[in-house]
Amino acid sequence: MADADVIPIGSGGRPGRGSGRRTTPSAAARALAGPGAARSKKKKVKTAEPDLVDETVTELPPVAEQESSTRAEDRAPDLGAFGLGGLDFAQLEKVVRELFGADGERRIAEWFAFLRRRLSGEYEVDEFGFDSDLTDQILLPMLRPLAEKWFRVEVRGVENIPETGSALIVANHSGTMPLDGLITQLIVADHTSRPLRTLAADLVFRTPFVGEWSRKGGATLANNDDAERLLRQGNLVGVWPEGFKGLGKPFSERYKLQRFGRGGFVSAAMRTGVPIVPCSIVGAEEIYPLVGNLSSLARLMGVPYVPVTPFFPLLGPLGLIPLPSKWLIEFGEPIRTDEFPEGAADDPMLVFNVTDQVRETIQQTLYTLLVQRRSVFF
């Protein structure tokens, strides 16, 4: 058989991809082939069959080189696909760690998950208006720097708070503004991983904006019915029996407990059989030292008092910045109420005695903590 003409693969007998203009690989093809392609060799495939065409065999780069290139691409995400090609991923990761700490990536992921739940409506609000998702992701994190960096809170006796079941936490109230209640709520949540449902005065819920956010943060009206419902549901409930008498007392009477009302919190604990945990707070008295009260303006505004401190209203809004006092918070041993006979909550003398016991426990603990505190601000 005569030798057959060799026809290169292409369109119309022309070499290449049918363009008829070039016979060598394009620049893009050479880049894909890698640096080893520049030293490629052409070999003639010899065969006894004359009908076969000549084939060009191109040497491929070593497998190890390909795998190394693939691993390098996997390590760094393609930020260019998101229009962020000019960013250095390693530098971005370093910035995230500096801003949010070692667990910055986890916290950012939690934030995006929180936003997704808010946008999709996948969160729950209980019958009292408590939004646990909003509280854990927004409200409590806003208070954490204040407690850890500004007040430098030291906590003792956390083991006295039950890990499960209901309890009534009773604390002293002071500081002109109710920051002690918010800080106590944060401390309980951080150390027990349980929310503290607080009982607040009706003025809180009549105040625009404050009332709505208080309910979302777990507060409810301070009355026996709501307190008993929360306790029967297995919640930790916090109450500050001094009320505005404790908040608005002069600085000269600091750390001297006011009357604990009529003992309604004790009767609620007795009816539900839950323990009472005394809580003593040192440090809140000094954040806004109350040296005066604009009583006429207070009556006009319908509030218990309009405070005058060394810096407010003299410095205007700057006077609202709390002083960085040193805080000590101690939770005392629980006082059991399940051992009282049935109907004990209706005995006014017994309720008064237990109320006085709780008050004296907190008062003596305050004196002890004041002695142990080295300085007001250190």
Side-chain angles (χ1 to χ4, degrees):
M1 181 181 297
D3 292 340
D5 294 336
V6 179
I7 301 175
I9 298 176
S11 174
R14 292 190 298 272
R17 299 176 60 188
S19 63
R21 289 191 295 268
R22 63 188 305 166
T23 59
T24 59
S26 65
R30 287 196 303 271
L32 288 175
R39 299 184 300 271
S40 62
K41 302 177 182 179
K42 294 185 178 180
K43 299 181 181 178
K44 287 283 186 175
V45 180
K46 295 182 179 180
T47 178
E49 295 293 333
D51 295 335
L52 297 179
V53 301
D54 293 339
E55 295 181 356
T56 301
V57 179
T58 303
E59 292 183 358
L60 296 176
V63 176
E65 185 178 346
Q66 294 180 3
E67 293 179 351
S68 176
S69 175
T70 302
R71 287 195 297 268
E73 293 176 358
D74 291 342
R75 283 195 296 268
D78 183 13
L79 297 178
F82 303 95
L84 304 174
L87 291 180
D88 184 352
F89 180 77
Q91 186 66 25
L92 181 62
E93 183 179 11
K94 181 180 179 181
V95 171
V96 169
R97 289 184 180 275
E98 290 178 353
L99 290 176
F100 300 99
D103 59 344
E105 296 179 14
R106 178 187 61 81
R107 295 171 63 182
I108 291 178
E110 290 178 352
W111 263 92
F112 279 111
F114 168 74
L115 292 177
R116 179 187 58 80
R117 291 193 298 271
R118 305 310 292 191
L119 293 175
S120 61
E122 297 177 1
Y123 60 91
E124 296 182 359
V125 177
D126 72 2
E127 57 181 316
F128 296 95
F130 175 48
D131 188 338
S132 60
D133 194 31
L134 181 69
T135 301
D136 293 338
Q137 298 297 328
I138 300 295
L139 302 183
L140 294 184
M142 291 173 59
L143 293 171
R144 196 164 286 117
L146 186 65
E148 296 177 354
K149 306 298 183 181
W150 194 250
F151 296 140
R152 294 144 292 136
V153 180
E154 290 185 16
V155 184
R156 306 173 184 178
V158 177
E159 65 277 2
N160 292 319
I161 302 177
E163 296 181 357
T164 58
S166 303
L168 183 64
I169 298 177
V170 182
N172 57 302
H173 215 12
S174 61
T176 306
M177 300 290 287
L179 285 181
D180 52 357
L182 298 176
I183 297 298
T184 304
Q185 189 176 8
L186 171 69
I187 294 301
V188 171
D190 284 351
H191 287 78
T192 67
S193 300
R194 302 183 62 187
L196 178 65
R197 308 299 299 275
T198 57
L199 302 179
D202 57 351
L203 176 62
V204 173
F205 303 103
R206 288 192 281 108
T207 305
F209 180 77
V210 175
E212 179 182 357
W213 283 91
S214 297
R215 285 200 178 276
K216 291 180 182 294
T220 190
L221 189 62
N223 61 63
N224 280 14
D225 292 338
D226 285 351
E228 291 180 20
R229 287 169 60 194
L230 287 170
L231 291 171
R232 294 186 191 280
Q233 293 173 3
N235 293 291
L236 294 176
V237 179
V239 62
W240 290 259
E242 293 177 278
F244 290 112
K245 298 188 302 295
L247 277 178
K249 65 177 178 288
F251 185 68
S252 59
E253 299 180 11
R254 59 191 179 278
Y255 299 113
K256 296 179 181 178
L257 295 186
Q258 305 298 301
R259 190 172 66 90
F260 270 22
R262 296 185 296 273
F265 68 93
V266 171
S267 61
M270 285 182 171
R271 287 192 176 92
T272 54
V274 304
I276 299 174
V277 180
C279 176
S280 305
I281 304 172
V282 165
E285 294 274 15
E286 294 88 7
I287 60 175
Y288 298 111
L290 187 64
V291 296
N293 175 24
L294 303 178
S295 55
S296 300
L297 182 59
R299 287 193 296 270
L300 182 64
M301 298 177 60
V303 295
Y305 56 88
V306 174
V308 177
T309 72
F311 307 104
F312 181 85
L314 180 63
L315 299 182
L318 291 177
L320 298 177
I321 300 176
L323 296 178
S325 58
K326 174 65 178 179
W327 284 40
L328 300 175
I329 299 180
E330 181 170 330
F331 297 93
E333 295 185 4
I335 299 174
R336 298 184 59 178
T337 63
D338 55 351
E339 297 178 345
F340 292 109
E342 186 177 356
D346 299 323
D347 184 346
M349 288 302 299
L350 181 58
V351 170
F352 174 80
N353 289 336
V354 176
T355 302
D356 192 59
Q357 179 186 355
V358 175
R359 183 182 180 278
E360 284 301 315
T361 300
I362 296 175
Q363 183 69 81
Q364 294 303 318
T365 305
L366 287 176
Y367 290 148
T368 302
L369 293 177
L370 286 171
V371 172
Q372 296 175 357
R373 188 174 64 165
R374 294 176 299 174
S375 170
V376 172
F377 299 106
F378 302 100

